[in-house]
Amino acid sequence: LAKTTQPISMDSYEGQEVNITCSHNNIATNDYITWYQQFPSQGPRFIIQGYKTKVTNEVASLFIPADRKSSTLSLPRVSLSDTAVYYCLVGAGGSQGNLIFGKGTKLSVKP
Amino acid sequence: DAGVTQSPTHLIKTRGQQVTLRCSPKSGHDTVSWYQQALGQGPQFIFQYYEEEERQRGNFPDRFSGHQFPNYSSELNVNALLLGDSALYLCASSSRGQGAYNEQFFGPGTRLTVL
C-alpha cells in the first residue's frame, strides 16, 4: 500500500479556506485516495474519495493532479467545529478492506 | 439508524487480565473491522470479519482474537494484557459490494486502560 505524507499540523481562522496536501509518490494504478476526519474521542468519519481530477461534495473538495502523486483536500470557509485530525489514505483496499492510517494532520481553527 | 455502537465506553484492567469488547455494526452492514488507536497516533488495523470468519489480519499477536456472530455483531478479545495495550479500540462496519472503496463507518470506540 502506498505511503502518505501530510503536514503534522495546520492553523487557520474561521471563514478561511483550508487546503491540506498529501503526498503519495508510490500510488498504484488501482489505488483510490480517501480522506477521513476524526474528532477527539470519536471514530474517524469518511469525508471524500477520488481517483483523479476533482471531486466535490457538500463538505469538501478533493483535487488530484494528473500524475496522482499528491492530492489536496480543500475545506471551504472553515468553522471552529472543523477543528479535527484529517487523515489521507491511499489504497484499493479491496473494497472495504483494511485501512492504513498515518498520523494525520491536526487542523486547529481559531476564532 | 443507530450507526455503529460499541460497549463498554471505558474499561480499566490490570496487566495479565483478559478483556472482551463488543461491537454492533450499522444496519445493513455485514463486515466488521477492528482498529487500535494509541494516543497521538492514527488507527492501526487489527483484523476484519465477514461471514463469521477472520478475512484479513494486521500485524497484531495472537493475544488478539475475535468473533463475529450470525447477526453480524462482533467481539474483540485480548488476553494477557500489557501496559502497551492501553488505547482506543475502534470498530468499523461496511457492506461488501456497496459504497465507495475504503469507506467504513466507525463507532465511538472503547477506551481501554491497562494498569
Side-chain angles (χ1 to χ4, degrees):
Chain A
L1 294 171
K3 180 180 178 180
T4 60
T5 302
Q6 49 183 128
I8 294 174
S9 63
M10 293 183 68
D11 292 332
S12 183
Y13 291 93
E14 281 191 293
Q16 289 187 331
E17 178 185 74
V18 171
N19 296 308
I20 306 175
T21 297
C22 178
S23 296
H24 29 81
N25 292 318
N26 297 322
I27 189 169
T29 302
N30 60 342
D31 284 344
Y32 281 74
I33 300 158
T34 311
W35 286 80
Y36 276 79
Q37 174 193 56
Q38 186 177 26
F39 298 111
S41 298
Q42 293 187 27
R45 182 176 74 103
F46 175 94
I47 301 176
I48 196 167
Q49 180 179 89
Y51 184 80
K52 61 181 180 180
T53 63
K54 177 184 175 182
V55 179
T56 297
N57 61 22
E58 65 278 6
V59 177
S61 294
L62 179 59
F63 299 91
I64 306 168
D67 66 6
R68 304 202 325 124
K69 293 183 182 300
S70 67
S71 59
T72 299
L73 174 71
S74 181
L75 305 172
R77 298 179 297 282
V78 294
S79 64
L80 296 176
S81 63
D82 291 317
T83 294
V85 177
Y86 293 82
Y87 295 97
C88 166
L89 286 71
V90 171
S95 187
Q96 292 86 41
N98 56 306
L99 303 180
I100 307 298
F101 289 85
K103 292 188 176 182
T105 297
K106 184 173 183 179
L107 173 64
S108 297
V109 180
K110 303 174 183 178
Chain B
D1 184 0
V4 179
T5 60
Q6 293 186 243
S7 63
T9 305
H10 295 86
L11 202 54
I12 299 175
K13 292 286 188 178
T14 57
R15 282 179 295 175
Q17 286 190 311
Q18 178 265 342
V19 67
T20 297
L21 310 181
R22 296 176 176 81
C23 170
S24 292
K26 181 179 170 66
S27 177
H29 285 181
D30 54 13
T31 302
V32 174
S33 302
W34 286 92
Y35 295 81
Q36 179 195 66
Q37 186 172 25
L39 201 60
Q41 305 294 317
Q44 301 298 306
F45 175 75
I46 303 175
F47 43 53
Q48 183 180 84
Y49 277 84
Y50 172 68
E51 291 186 335
E52 303 180 47
E53 291 189 14
E54 183 183 295
R55 300 293 179 171
Q56 297 184 54
R57 189 179 183 92
N59 188 27
F60 279 80
D62 292 344
R63 297 187 297 109
F64 290 77
S65 63
H67 189 77
Q68 185 179 33
F69 299 94
N71 67 352
Y72 308 119
S73 67
S74 177
E75 289 182 348
L76 165 65
N77 301 293
V78 186
N79 295 322
L81 284 168
L82 304 173
L83 296 179
D85 294 331
S86 295
L88 179 68
Y89 287 85
L90 296 161
C91 169
S93 74
S94 56
S95 178
R96 296 236 164 185
Q98 295 182 14
Y101 279 135
N102 302 328
E103 181 176 9
Q104 296 183 8
F105 293 79
F106 284 81
T110 294
R111 174 70 63 186
L112 172 65
T113 302
V114 181
L115 302 177

